[in-house]
Amino acid sequence: MKVWGAHGEFCARHQWEVIVATLALLACAASVERHGPGNRSEHCAGWARACPGLEAEYQAADAVIMTFVRCAALLYAYYQVLNLHKIASKYLLIIAGVFSTFASFIFTSALASLFWSELASIKDAPFLFLLVADVARGARMAKAGWSAGEDQGKRVGRALSLLGPTATLDTLLAILLVGVGALSGVPRLEHMCTFACLALLVDYIVFITFYPACLSLVADFATNRKEIAHDSPFSEEDLKPNPVVQRVKMIMAAGLLCVHLTSRWPWSANHGIIEGPIDASIPVPHDNILLHSYVKWFSVSADYIVIATLLCALIIKFIFFEEQRNWVYDMDDMTVKEVINDTDLSRKPKFSVGDDSNSEVSTQTDEAGNVEDMEWPTLSPSSSASKLNAKKRPMVECLELYRSGACTSLSDEEVIMLVEQSHIPMHRLEAVLEDPLRGVRLRRRVIASRFNNETAIKQLPYLNYDYSKVLNACCENVIGYIGVPVGYAGPLVVDGKPYMIPMATTEGALVASTNRGAKAIGSRGVTSVVEDVGMTRAPAVKLPNVVRAHECRQWIDNKENYALLKEAFDSTSRFARLQEIHVGVDGATLYLRFRATTGDAMGMNMVSKGAENALKLLKTFFRDMEVISLSGNYCSDKKAAAINWIKGRGKRVVCETVISSENLRTIFKTDAKTLSRCNKIKNLSGSALAGSIGGNNAHAANMVTAIFIATGQDPAQNVTSSNCSTNMEAYGENGEDLYVTCTMPSLEVGTVGGGTVLTGQGACLEILGVKGAGTRPAENSARLASLICATVLAGELSLMAALVNSDLVKSHMRHNRSTLNVQTANVEPYTVALKVPPS
């Protein structure tokens, strides 16, 4: 691989030397005249003249057959051109065709006329070359060599290092395979196969020398003129060969090599030796052989008229009548989709995949902000998927296939039939079909038909999503996904390090407001303190009477007994470690609030599993104890509860910062006394008057929820996690700076498990540098908690400043008003005006 890479880079960096040297060799080969004696009296006259034995055999039937072969070669070449449209642009196609096919053919013709003058007439050579030349290989090389972001020479060298070994094996196998025709004993077929082998060899040499140099040169010119446009991103995986296919090719090459050795080896001593003196009297033509060959190409005959007509028709069709197509390769359902710009239907782009019943419609937004539909029409009738779905087998046969575990061989219609008859549960489609995407697609069809909401279902996107990470982890009965915009606020400096905070939200002005707060904080940054309180779960247990309940409580409070429960709890996980059992009493019912640290996971499942095991041990000592519920709401999870506000849950975080008087004046257009006064009246007194629990803040839930959605946290836990107390006071010698703190005692976050396994959410965690487990337990989850609290602080500052300046309505009118909604409202501005009920 390194040798190929170095060779390709050498050719790309020494473009002119390689090109000039190759063209010089071509000129020499084309201009050499064959002088010297022949060794046989029946010597043929070269490309310009036919061999005596062969010309007699070229009768009318032969002409018809060869005309058919030539037409087939042209059609095959046209088919290759159309296929290349899927992997390369027209510009790449032209470069690959001209420099690979044409150059290789010229070199082949020159060498053949120089060394093998006894070959048959050259008029069949172009068509034979069309059948053996690999144009697609040149297009892949061009696409790889023109990928941006790296030195051109290194890029070409890397592309050749990937394509070179495969091209070598393919060429060797093709030469050995075509060379079998030279053993047939049919003179014309032998000569044609000889030319084909020579063409393959020359095409290979051109591909690894002349073509990389030309490619690099043209790329340099095009880059200077900014003409190169990539239709799709290049991946090195596209060039890596299949190891199984390569192994099969090597075995075939070895077998064909044995055939050639046994057929051509000189077993006798005199085999292949020409005896007798060389006859010097045989005339040798002194004219240029290659020139005569090209002149003979244009001799008019019936077969040439047919070929010329077909060639002109294909060229005209390709230039004027072939639709311009944009191909998209979808990695989810492994199909090539065609984007068709239809100007007759309001210029709505359509994507072509699937069968009739699988057509999907999604939406996209153009540059002007207009929403456009994207339809997914049908596959062609000749496709394998359409043929498979065209024949529905009987129910008995389909049911037998399903029960035998061969459900993957069932067509879409057959699977839907089994679902409708309740043989296949709807929620198990992905597992049964062993294809998550197909399961989602078929569930959408069933739901659309069953509830008559096909239009709505089609507007819900489902392609380009990794459902394998969703199954048994995040969601059931999946029919698609919802895209939520993700913005960033920052840089926000937290504990001396700047962060870009991803926020997923549909509330306009939220990200902009938080970003303004981060700007006001500036390089001074936010200082944070994090305490890993631990996750909680509080089962409710009931005993026969209050006496037994009191005895049970005293037993749990005993240190030795607590150690037994802790051992049982900790044995269920490598990370969960019990910290406390806080007992609440209501008559004969006890609420055992287990609190445990859970590493970098949010930990609800860990604590539930550990609490369940501890209850089994406790029941061995109190056999009259009845477990009412694994969760008795004393935890308390996803509900506003004073116990979380007081005792904490998850992570307890406190952040502080100081905003300078200059930033208050220039960014917030206010001062420290005004903000601290507003905070006291709004966040403290107002929340107390409302009886709020943990609500001593302006809008902490906004930032918490936005980061939760972006990073794969449980959005419902924003109820507890948004508990926050915001405090502001004048600071400094003159009291003109502002000291701000945010205290959040119950932030429930994790960086492993749950929604963090999804691709997009994992990417947001990676942006923050907290994806996965840290080197120390709870390291990454604690950092995520501190970043959330710091972001809340930035958002609190910005909103409070907007409130004291009466900027809130103004900013929301600018950032949180949909243009589409405003335009719709302007059509009938007073549709919902005052309606006075009848008296």
Side-chain angles (χ1 to χ4, degrees):
M1 297 290 284
K2 293 183 178 180
V3 175
W4 285 107
H7 171 73
E9 186 174 350
F10 174 82
C11 294
R13 294 189 183 279
H14 300 81
Q15 310 157 351
W16 290 107
E17 292 86 343
V18 175
I19 293 174
V20 171
T22 308
L23 293 178
L25 290 175
L26 170 64
C28 293
S31 60
V32 168
E33 296 182 353
R34 289 183 56 86
H35 296 282
N39 54 1
R40 286 178 293 186
S41 59
E42 65 275 10
H43 178 77
C44 295
W47 292 108
R49 300 174 178 84
C51 295
L54 296 177
E55 189 66 27
E57 299 176 2
Y58 194 65
Q59 303 299 330
D62 198 4
V64 173
I65 295 175
M66 293 309 300
T67 302
F68 176 79
V69 172
R70 295 166 192 164
C71 293
L74 287 178
L75 292 174
Y76 175 71
Y78 184 75
Y79 172 76
Q80 274 195 321
V81 170
L82 293 182
N83 282 342
L84 286 178
H85 240 317
K86 300 179 183 180
I87 63 173
S89 64
K90 273 191 173 182
Y91 196 72
L92 291 174
L93 184 62
I94 293 172
I95 297 303
V98 171
F99 285 97
S100 180
T101 307
F102 181 72
S104 299
F105 176 67
I106 295 299
F107 296 160
T108 304
S109 302
L111 292 177
S113 64
L114 178 62
F115 297 107
W116 285 280
S117 61
E118 71 276 6
L119 294 182
S121 174
I122 199 174
K123 63 182 180 181
D124 293 327
F127 307 101
L128 192 61
F129 190 85
L130 289 176
L131 292 174
V132 298
D134 189 358
V135 181
R137 181 175 61 191
R140 291 193 297 270
M141 178 78 168
K143 192 171 185 179
W146 283 0
S147 297
E150 194 173 358
D151 178 73
Q152 182 63 37
K154 291 183 179 179
R155 199 61 179 168
V156 173
R158 181 177 297 179
L160 188 60
S161 68
L162 294 172
L163 284 173
T166 305
T168 303
L169 181 58
D170 290 346
T171 302
L172 176 61
L173 180 60
I175 290 175
L176 292 173
L177 186 60
V178 175
V180 174
L183 307 176
S184 63
V186 180
R188 190 174 189 82
L189 180 60
E190 287 184 353
H191 293 113
M192 290 180 65
C193 290
T194 303
F195 178 83
C197 292
L198 179 62
L200 287 167
L201 181 61
V202 173
D203 182 55
Y204 167 74
I205 296 175
V206 168
F207 174 75
I208 64 174
T209 55
F210 182 70
Y211 183 65
C214 293
L215 177 64
S216 181
L217 182 63
V218 174
D220 288 343
F221 286 146
T223 302
N224 294 333
R225 297 173 57 186
K226 299 182 180 180
E227 292 182 355
I228 295 180
H230 299 284
D231 296 328
S232 60
F234 163 73
S235 174
E236 290 186 1
E237 297 297 328
D238 299 336
L239 302 184
K240 292 183 179 179
N242 188 324
V244 178
V245 175
Q246 295 297 98
R247 190 177 299 111
V248 172
K249 288 181 179 179
M250 293 180 65
I251 296 173
M252 291 178 61
L256 291 171
L257 182 61
C258 294
V259 173
H260 282 272
L261 290 177
T262 55
S263 302
R264 300 177 183 274
W265 189 265
W267 299 103
S268 62
N270 297 328
H271 181 79
I273 301 177
I274 300 175
E275 299 179 357
I278 298 176
D279 187 0
S281 62
I282 297 177
V284 177
H286 293 276
D287 53 352
N288 191 290
I289 299 173
L290 188 61
L291 178 62
H292 281 281
S293 65
Y294 291 142
V295 172
K296 190 173 182 179
W297 288 353
F298 297 98
S299 59
V300 179
S301 61
D303 55 344
Y304 275 105
I305 295 176
V306 174
I307 298 302
T309 303
L310 177 61
L311 181 60
C312 293
L314 291 177
I315 293 175
I316 293 173
K317 181 178 183 296
F318 180 75
I319 296 176
F320 297 104
F321 298 101
E322 192 68 34
E323 295 181 359
Q324 299 298 319
R325 299 176 179 179
N326 183 18
W327 298 93
V328 179
Y329 191 73
D330 184 23
M331 295 303 296
D332 284 324
D333 52 5
M334 305 303 290
T335 56
V336 177
K337 301 180 178 62
E338 175 189 355
V339 184
I340 304 174
N341 294 323
D342 191 349
T343 56
D344 298 332
L345 296 175
S346 303
R347 304 185 65 84
K348 296 179 180 179
K350 298 180 179 180
F351 294 75
S352 176
V353 287
D355 50 40
D356 291 341
S357 54
N358 298 337
S359 300
E360 294 293 340
V361 177
S362 57
T363 59
Q364 72 174 12
T365 305
D366 60 14
E367 295 179 357
N370 301 319
V371 178
E372 299 180 343
D373 292 331
M374 296 188 295
E375 299 182 1
W376 300 87
T378 64
L379 281 173
S380 61
S382 60
S383 67
S384 58
S386 295
K387 290 179 180 179
L388 181 62
N389 290 332
K391 299 179 181 179
K392 183 191 293 187
R393 286 167 284 197
M395 169 68 75
V396 176
E397 183 178 351
C398 295
L399 192 58
E400 184 179 353
L401 288 172
Y402 165 59
R403 290 173 176 173
S404 63
C407 196
T408 55
S409 62
L410 296 173
S411 68
D412 288 354
E413 297 299 331
E414 292 166 347
V415 173
I416 292 176
M417 177 177 64
L418 292 177
V419 171
E420 294 290 359
Q421 297 297 324
S422 301
H423 293 294
I424 299 180
M426 182 87 78
H427 67 276
R428 296 195 67 248
L429 276 174
E430 292 88 347
V432 169
L433 298 175
E434 300 178 3
D435 184 349
L437 180 64
R438 188 185 179 197
V440 172
R441 177 166 54 83
L442 295 185
R443 184 180 293 112
R444 289 164 61 93
R445 288 182 55 187
V446 174
I447 293 297
S449 174
R450 183 176 296 177
F451 296 97
N452 195 25
N453 56 1
E454 183 176 357
T455 302
I457 290 292
K458 286 182 177 180
Q459 292 175 353
L460 178 66
Y462 80 101
L463 292 171
N464 302 310
Y465 200 86
D466 187 359
Y467 292 104
S468 63
K469 296 181 179 179
V470 177
L471 300 179
N472 303 318
C474 301
C475 189
E476 300 78 34
N477 285 335
V478 180
I479 58 173
Y481 62 90
I482 296 295
V484 181
V486 178
Y488 77 89
L492 176 61
V493 179
V494 181
D495 297 327
K497 183 178 179 180
Y499 293 89
M500 311 300 290
I501 309 297
M503 303 175 66
T505 181
T506 56
E507 179 182 349
L510 176 59
V511 176
S513 177
T514 308
N515 195 65
R516 185 174 75 144
K519 181 180 179 182
I521 294 171
S523 59
R524 177 173 290 182
V526 175
T527 302
S528 69
V529 176
V530 184
E531 178 188 354
D532 188 7
V533 176
M535 187 49 58
T536 61
R537 176 60 80 197
V541 299
K542 188 174 181 59
L543 289 103
N545 50 58
V546 295
V547 175
R548 288 290 290 168
H550 180 69
E551 292 175 355
C552 183
R553 179 181 180 182
Q554 286 186 321
W555 189 91
I556 294 173
D557 289 339
N558 181 277
K559 291 184 178 180
E560 295 180 357
N561 297 332
Y562 170 78
L564 295 175
L565 294 175
K566 176 177 172 57
E567 182 181 0
F569 186 101
D570 294 352
S571 65
T572 60
S573 171
R574 294 181 298 158
F575 303 100
R577 294 295 178 264
L578 184 63
Q579 305 297 316
E580 176 193 31
I581 302 178
H582 177 74
V583 182
V585 182
D586 181 20
T589 303
L590 300 181
Y591 298 86
L592 311 180
R593 191 173 188 263
F594 291 82
R595 178 174 64 84
T597 57
T598 56
D600 281 308
M602 186 269 291
M604 281 297 303
N605 291 335
M606 285 189 196
V607 179
S608 298
K609 186 178 178 181
E612 186 177 40
N613 200 50
L615 288 179
K616 292 179 180 178
L617 176 65
L618 182 61
K619 194 171 177 60
T620 60
F621 293 93
F622 295 88
R623 298 187 179 277
D624 53 354
M625 182 186 74
E626 179 186 3
V627 178
I628 303 298
S629 173
L630 187 61
S631 174
N633 275 8
Y634 194 57
C635 313
S636 173
D637 186 38
K638 300 175 183 176
K639 290 166 283 291
I643 191 170
N644 294 332
W645 176 246
I646 297 170
K647 294 182 67 65
R649 191 170 194 250
K651 305 291 189 295
R652 178 184 285 115
V653 191
V654 182
C655 286
E656 67 174 1
T657 190
V658 176
I659 309 299
S660 66
S661 58
E662 180 182 358
N663 285 354
L664 290 174
R665 184 175 61 256
T666 58
I667 298 176
F668 290 146
K669 306 297 189 296
T670 186
D671 55 62
K673 292 182 180 179
T674 302
L675 283 176
S676 60
R677 180 171 176 263
C678 180
N679 181 76
K680 179 180 178 181
I681 295 175
K682 170 183 167 59
N683 291 340
L684 302 182
S685 300
S687 297
L689 186 62
S692 174
I693 299 176
N696 300 334
N697 58 82
H699 68 143
N702 258 335
M703 284 70 69
V704 170
T705 305
I707 300 178
F708 268 31
I709 295 174
T711 57
Q713 311 302 311
D714 188 343
Q717 288 187 324
N718 75 331
V719 177
T720 302
S721 297
S722 298
N723 286 341
C724 176
S725 175
T726 301
N727 185 39
M728 298 182 183
E729 57 185 70
Y731 184 78
E733 295 180 358
N734 301 323
E736 296 181 352
D737 296 338
L738 183 69
Y739 176 72
V740 189
T741 64
C742 280
T743 303
M744 305 184 73
S746 52
L747 259 175
E748 303 157 327
V749 296
T751 57
V752 297
T756 64
V757 302
L758 300 177
T759 304
Q761 287 78 349
C764 290
L765 289 172
E766 189 71 36
I767 291 173
L768 297 174
V770 295
K771 183 178 180 181
T775 55
R776 299 187 304 275
E779 178 183 9
N780 283 350
S781 58
R783 172 53 58 187
L784 177 60
S786 68
L787 293 176
I788 293 175
C789 187
T791 306
V792 168
L793 190 150
E796 293 280 282
L797 276 170
S798 184
L799 177 58
M800 293 296 291
L803 289 172
V804 298
N805 287 328
S806 300
D807 290 336
L808 179 64
V809 175
K810 187 189 305 181
S811 63
H812 275 263
M813 290 295 292
R814 183 171 64 252
H815 294 288
N816 199 21
R817 288 292 292 264
S818 170
T819 304
L820 185 61
N821 292 338
V822 172
Q823 291 175 350
T824 304
N826 288 338
V827 177
E828 299 180 65
Y830 300 105
T831 302
V832 289
L834 293 175
K835 294 183 180 180
V836 181
S839 56

